[in-house]
Amino acid sequence: MTPVHFTFSSAFILGLTGLAFHRTHLLSALLCLEGMMLSLFMALSLWTVQLNATSLCAAPMLLLAFSACEASAGLALLVATARTHGTDHLQNLNLLQC
């Protein structure tokens, strides 16, 4: 495994462990998801450059567009949750009690 691949895979694993173990605030969970998506974007971009595949050059941009949509939906949920519940603590949220 090259150092570049190790860096991208460790960034993804760090985001995944942050999402799994540090779930106190909704904002921190959204940041971990965004870090995972950015590491996937970097890895996919590097993969298309290494393969010299011009047919796959749109895939990183498509992933980046989906990541932006995910981030905007997450921030909209964060604002709606903060307005209705007054906090973004995940332990205080009960989704069955809407």
Side-chain angles (χ1 to χ4, degrees), residues 31-48:
L31 284 174
C32 290
L33 281 174
E34 193 64 30
M36 289 169 56
M37 289 298 284
L38 285 176
S39 68
L40 284 176
F41 169 72
M42 298 280 288
L44 190 60
S45 299
L46 182 72
W47 183 57
T48 56

Side-chain angles (χ1 to χ4, degrees), residues 37-86:
M37 289 298 284
L38 285 176
S39 68
L40 284 176
F41 169 72
M42 298 280 288
L44 190 60
S45 299
L46 182 72
W47 183 57
T48 56
V49 167
Q50 283 180 348
L51 290 179
N52 287 332
T54 57
S55 63
L56 295 175
C57 65
M61 296 308 285
L62 186 66
L63 181 72
L64 194 61
F66 282 135
S67 176
C69 292
E70 175 258 333
S72 65
L75 286 177
L77 285 173
L78 177 71
V79 168
T81 302
R83 285 185 180 170
T84 57
H85 292 84

